[in-house]
Amino acid sequence: MRKSVVVLLTLLIACTAVGVPIWLAIAQSQRQGLDAAESQALGYARDVVFRSDDTGRQIEAGIARLKAQHGHAPCTAQSIDLMRQIDLSSSYIQAVGYVEGEDMVCSSISDGTPFALGPVDFQSDQNFKIRRSVRFPFTPEQAFVVVESEHFAAIIHKDLPIDTANSEPDVSLAVFSLLDPRPASTRGPVDPNWVLRLGDEREVVFSDGSYIVAVVRSAQFHTAAVAAVPLHYVRDRSQHVANLLVPIGLVAGVALALAISYLASQQLALPAAVKAALRRGELFLEYQPIIDLRSGRWIGVEALVRWRRSTGELVYPDLFIPIAEQHGLIVKLTRRVLELVRSDVGDFLENRPDFHVGINVAPADFHAGDFLDCLAGCLRQMRAAPGNLILEVTERGLLDPVVARKTTGALRASGFAVAIDDFGTGYSSLSYLESLELDYLKIDRSFIEAIGTGAPTSQVVQHIIAMARDLKLCMIAEGVESQEQADFLRARGVQYAQGWLFGKPMPFAEVREHLRRMEAPAAVAAGAG
């Protein structure tokens, strides 16, 4: 009897020891899942508000320029040139035009043929006339929002403000005017009554039984953004954990606990994993050739950072570089890139003053006090000159005008070349670029892909080329994949290009071997002479 009681108590304690932690883990996972869904919904809504507000600011600024400079003569060649400049310097506006009645009579993308816009859907308290869903003859399958003020109007892609959370298609997003119950832009099922829950608050998060919903009010415009994450995400995860852990835990608690502990220790949070990658030396570089479009000669390479985890998994830069920027690791990552360049390239550049290595840098690098010293140290160890390095920074990295001017000036004063990367995808204007000390302008691959397609964006690359020519900048076209694209760029004076047409990213040893083969015939010819 006593033995049976002991066995029973032992079994009860064992079951409790196994069951209670699992129960607590499930309860905590449900709480964390709910918190994560609320944070996720709020993050998406804030992002949509940011995009919507940025769109509104760009529209206000563009229309104000047109009214001030060409309000008396809206459809002259000079006015249309200004419209095209506004297109090019804007990240959200698709086109700008002048409206009479229900027709856009001239615009930055038309050949003089008017476009029918249809009636106005509603008018805001700031005297903006809004048309929610306008279709144009050149893209009948796509809907656009047209925002008009004093006859000038901006065309916005209907889905642009909600172009986020693309990896989770079940997430619903919308932008509302607080003066109109119908959404200006929407994706997925959205209940207009959700906006009423906002009341006088700046932002609110709640559950409606099917979704975790976040509503965020704009601080600048009478608009609000909605994001809704399905509750089944949380339920599915919680049910899966319960079905898996409870039965197995009751049968083999210790083994399961050890297994979970082991698996948990292997699954580092991504910021911690990036730190570990830097510590363990899991980053490496590949180099994509940059060629002279006139001669076909390789004149440089761009160093592209890669990350291969100890499991063999390859992590893409689009994932880990933003994480490094957000968590204060980007300066260490840039330093690691410089170390890898030094290791890979060695003294290869010592007698090649006309060959360069392009390195991507971030805004945080500009604020680091020893950035120039690190660059100089790297060059000394490679026996290279400052001209052998091109420092590439995106438009977003140049948003702070004071830091941008000071940094580009200091870099060029030290002999380094500076390139603005992914041009056309950010916020730079012609006047702003003129104030910076730059050497190269890299045309983003999205504009190169449009060459020869007949799409409205296919004309943008010509405006970028004209802008670079006006600024006396050398141009490098990114993502060139066809001979047609290369011929188009060469004919319009673009000096350099990179892309799979000329070479995929490769180890530097392959770069070295290619140049050795190219230089060998020249050396033989020189010796014979």
Side-chain angles (χ1 to χ4, degrees), residues 237-355:
R237 283 196 294 265
S238 299
Q239 187 63 45
H240 175 72
V241 172
N243 292 339
L244 179 64
L245 292 185
V246 172
I248 298 176
L250 292 173
V251 175
V254 174
L256 181 61
L258 291 174
I260 292 173
S261 176
Y262 173 77
L263 291 173
S265 68
Q266 299 301 307
Q267 299 300 317
L268 298 173
L270 195 52
V274 174
K275 289 182 181 179
L278 289 166
R279 186 175 63 252
R280 297 170 181 168
E282 294 177 353
L283 301 179
F284 65 98
L285 296 181
E286 291 184 325
Y287 300 82
Q288 185 167 37
I290 299 173
I291 65 104
D292 186 324
L293 279 171
R294 292 158 294 188
S295 65
R297 183 173 57 91
W298 288 20
I299 55 92
V301 290
E302 180 181 1
L304 303 170
V305 65
R306 303 287 188 254
W307 175 17
R308 180 173 286 109
R309 303 187 71 170
S310 58
T311 60
E313 173 192 6
L314 192 64
V315 184
Y316 291 100
D318 290 348
L319 177 62
F320 70 82
I321 288 179
I323 293 295
E325 290 180 327
Q326 294 164 15
H327 293 270
L329 300 172
I330 194 65
V331 172
K332 291 183 178 179
L333 193 149
T334 302
R335 299 296 192 271
R336 180 57 180 156
V337 168
L338 288 173
E339 292 173 2
L340 291 169
V341 168
R342 187 175 66 236
S343 174
D344 292 344
V345 177
D347 61 359
F348 179 78
L349 299 173
E350 182 178 7
N351 297 314
R352 290 177 171 84
D354 298 328
F355 194 85

Side-chain angles (χ1 to χ4, degrees), residues 34 89 120-121 135 152 224 243 253 293 300 307 313 315 318 410 434 468 526:
L34 191 60
S89 61
V120 173
D121 289 313
R135 298 183 185 274
F152 285 103
N243 292 339
L293 279 171
W307 175 17
E313 173 192 6
V315 184
D318 290 348
E434 286 176 330

Side-chain angles (χ1 to χ4, degrees), residues 142-225:
Q142 292 182 321
F144 295 84
V145 175
V146 177
V147 181
E148 177 187 346
S149 175
E150 297 184 35
H151 295 288
F152 285 103
I155 299 172
I156 308 298
H157 195 290
K158 191 174 178 65
D159 293 333
L160 198 56
I162 57 173
D163 186 20
T164 188
N166 293 323
S167 63
E168 298 184 0
D170 289 348
V171 173
S172 297
L173 303 169
V175 177
F176 283 84
S177 167
L178 296 177
L179 305 175
D180 188 86
R182 292 166 296 177
S185 183
T186 183
R187 187 186 80 191
V190 174
D191 185 348
N193 292 321
W194 288 341
V195 180
L196 302 179
R197 298 284 293 270
L198 188 61
D200 296 328
E201 300 294 326
R202 173 68 189 279
E203 55 188 34
V204 63
V205 183
F206 57 91
S207 171
D208 78 336
S210 299
Y211 292 90
I212 296 295
V213 182
V215 185
V216 176
R217 184 196 307 273
S218 167
Q220 184 172 359
F221 300 99
H222 288 159
T223 58

Side-chain angles (χ1 to χ4, degrees), residues 338 359 361 370-380 389 391 411 416:
L338 288 173
I359 298 174
V361 295
D370 62 343
F371 184 44
L372 280 173
D373 291 338
C374 288
L375 292 172
C378 178
L379 289 176
R380 281 195 302 272
L389 287 185
L391 304 177
L411 290 171
F416 296 101

